[in-house]
C-alpha cells in the first residue's frame, strides 16, 4: 500500500497568512493526487485534482504543486472560511489512501 | 443539481450486518464510478471501496480491512448505491460517505460527497 504522510498535522495561522501543507507518498504516484477540505460535521469538499488543477468553483487562492512523491497545497492568503482540515488522497493505485490530515486553526 | 443522500446507519452488535444506501440524483449513476469512504469519530478518512461504471462492468475494489465482509452494489434503475456490511467489528464504527467519481486529469477524483451516515458497532 502507498502511505501518504501529511505535514504538519496542525497549524495556527492568521487571516491573510500564506499557508503551505505538504504530502509525501511512500512511492511515486505521478500526479494522481487530490486535495480535500473538510469542515466540522460536513463532508469533504474537493479542491484540487491531478496535483495542481483547481476544481471548478474553488477560489484561486488555493493552489497545488508536485509530482512523484512530494506534493504541496498552498493557500496564498488565508480567509476566515478556510479554517478547516485538509486531506490529500492518492488516486494512483489501490487501495486509495489519504494523508492523516492538517487542521488549520485560527491564531 | 447533483445530490447524494446516505441512509441506513445505526447501532449494530459485533458480528451483525447492516446495509447502507446512497440515493443519487441529478446525474446518471451508471455513467460514474462510485466510492464509499469512512471516517472514524475524531479521526481521519479511510477509503472503503469502489464500483466502476457500466462500461467497466461494475467491477469492484475493496480495502483489505473490509474485503470479504463488505459488498458494494448498485441499482441503476433506482439510481441507488448500496454497501452491504457483514461480520461487523467495533473498528468499523464510523461515518460512512458515498462519493461520486469524476474522471479528469487522467484519474478519478471524488467530486461530490453525501452528508454521511453513522454506523456504530457496539454490544
Amino acid at each position: 500500500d502507498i502511505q501518504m504522510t501529511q505535514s504538519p498535522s496542525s497549524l495556527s495561522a492568521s487571516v491573510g497568512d500564506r499557508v503551505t501543507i505538504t504530502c509525501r507518498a511512500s512511492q511515486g504516484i505521478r500526479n494522481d493526487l487530490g486535495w480535500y477540505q473538510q469542515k466540522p460535521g460536513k463532508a469533504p469538499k474537493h479542491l484540487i485534482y491531478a496535483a495542481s488543477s483547481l476544481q471548478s468553483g474553488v477560489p484561486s487562492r488555493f493552489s497545488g504543486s508536485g509530482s512523484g512523491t512530494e506534493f504541496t497545497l498552498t493557500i496564498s492568503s488565508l480567509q476566515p472560511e478556510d479554517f478547516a482540515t485538509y486531506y490529500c488522497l492518492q488516486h494512483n493505485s489501490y487501495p486509495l489512501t489519504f494523508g492523516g490530515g492538517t487542521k488549520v486553526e485560527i491564531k | 443539481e447533483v445530490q447524494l443522500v446516505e441512509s441506513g446507519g445505526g447501532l449494530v452488535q459485533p458480528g451483525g450486518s447492516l446495509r447502507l444506501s446512497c440515493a443519487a440524483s441529478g446525474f446518471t449513476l451508471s455513467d460514474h464510478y462510485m466510492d464509499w469512504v469512512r471516517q472514524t469519530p475524531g479521526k481521519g478518512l479511510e477509503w472503503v471501496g469502489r464500483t466502476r461504471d457500466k462500461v467497466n462492468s461494475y467491477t469492484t475494489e475493496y480495502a483489505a480491512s473490509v474485503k470479504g465482509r463488505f459488498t458494494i452494489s448498485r441499482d441503476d434503475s433506482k439510481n441507488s448505491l448500496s454497501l452491504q456490511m457483514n461480520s461487523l467489528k467495533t473498528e468499523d464504527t464510523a461515518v460512512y460517505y458515498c462519493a461520486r467519481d469524476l474522471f479528469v486529469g487522467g484519474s478519478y477524483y471524488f467530486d461530490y460527497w453525501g452528508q454521511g451516515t453513522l454506523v456504530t458497532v457496539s454490544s
Side-chain angles (χ1 to χ4, degrees):
Chain A
D1 297 3
I2 297 175
Q3 308 302 318
M4 302 302 296
T5 303
Q6 198 172 328
S7 62
S9 57
S10 66
L11 64 90
S12 295
S14 301
V15 173
D17 284 353
R18 182 181 181 88
V19 168
T20 299
I21 298 167
T22 298
C23 214
R24 180 176 292 113
S26 60
Q27 63 191 73
I29 58 169
R30 304 182 308 183
N31 68 337
D32 297 330
L33 184 108
W35 288 98
Y36 298 82
Q37 175 195 66
Q38 187 179 34
K39 296 182 179 180
K42 300 292 186 181
K45 174 188 173 184
H46 185 211
L47 299 177
I48 286 174
Y49 64 91
S52 61
S53 296
L54 212 59
Q55 171 74 329
S56 175
V58 174
S60 59
R61 62 181 179 273
F62 290 91
S63 64
S65 65
S67 183
T69 61
E70 294 278 339
F71 302 89
T72 59
L73 172 71
T74 299
I75 309 172
S76 60
S77 178
L78 200 63
Q79 298 302 300
E81 60 268 30
D82 301 336
F83 292 94
T85 301
Y86 294 84
Y87 295 92
C88 63
L89 170 61
Q90 68 84 14
H91 293 260
N92 179 264
S93 62
Y94 298 107
L96 307 187
T97 45
F98 288 90
T102 296
K103 186 173 184 179
V104 177
E105 298 176 300
I106 301 173
K107 196 174 204 177
Chain B
E1 180 193 4
V2 171
Q3 280 198 316
L4 298 168
V5 179
E6 300 96 338
S7 60
L11 175 64
V12 61
Q13 292 189 335
S17 298
L18 205 60
R19 187 178 183 90
L20 306 184
S21 295
C22 172
S25 59
F27 69 100
T28 302
L29 191 67
S30 59
D31 291 343
H32 287 267
Y33 285 30
M34 297 292 296
D35 291 70
W36 287 95
V37 175
R38 67 186 180 184
Q39 185 166 34
T40 51
K43 297 278 182 72
L45 298 161
E46 179 186 16
W47 175 77
V48 172
R50 165 175 285 174
T51 172
R52 296 182 178 85
D53 57 13
K54 185 175 182 179
V55 167
N56 288 283
S57 305
Y58 302 136
T59 52
T60 53
E61 303 285 348
Y62 296 96
S65 57
V66 307
K67 194 169 185 178
R69 300 188 299 123
F70 289 13
T71 302
I72 298 173
S73 61
R74 53 167 91 203
D75 184 341
D76 287 341
S77 66
K78 296 182 180 178
N79 234 34
S80 178
L81 180 74
S82 294
L83 179 67
Q84 177 66 42
M85 304 185 295
N86 299 330
S87 303
L88 281 161
K89 306 175 181 179
T90 55
E91 53 263 40
D92 294 320
T93 295
V95 173
Y96 285 75
Y97 297 98
C98 64
R100 189 185 84 161
D101 286 85
L102 175 69
F103 184 72
V104 63
S107 190
Y108 289 87
Y109 296 88
F110 307 153
D111 65 340
Y112 283 93
W113 298 62
Q115 85 289 350
T117 187
L118 176 63
V119 172
T120 303
V121 184
S122 174
S123 54

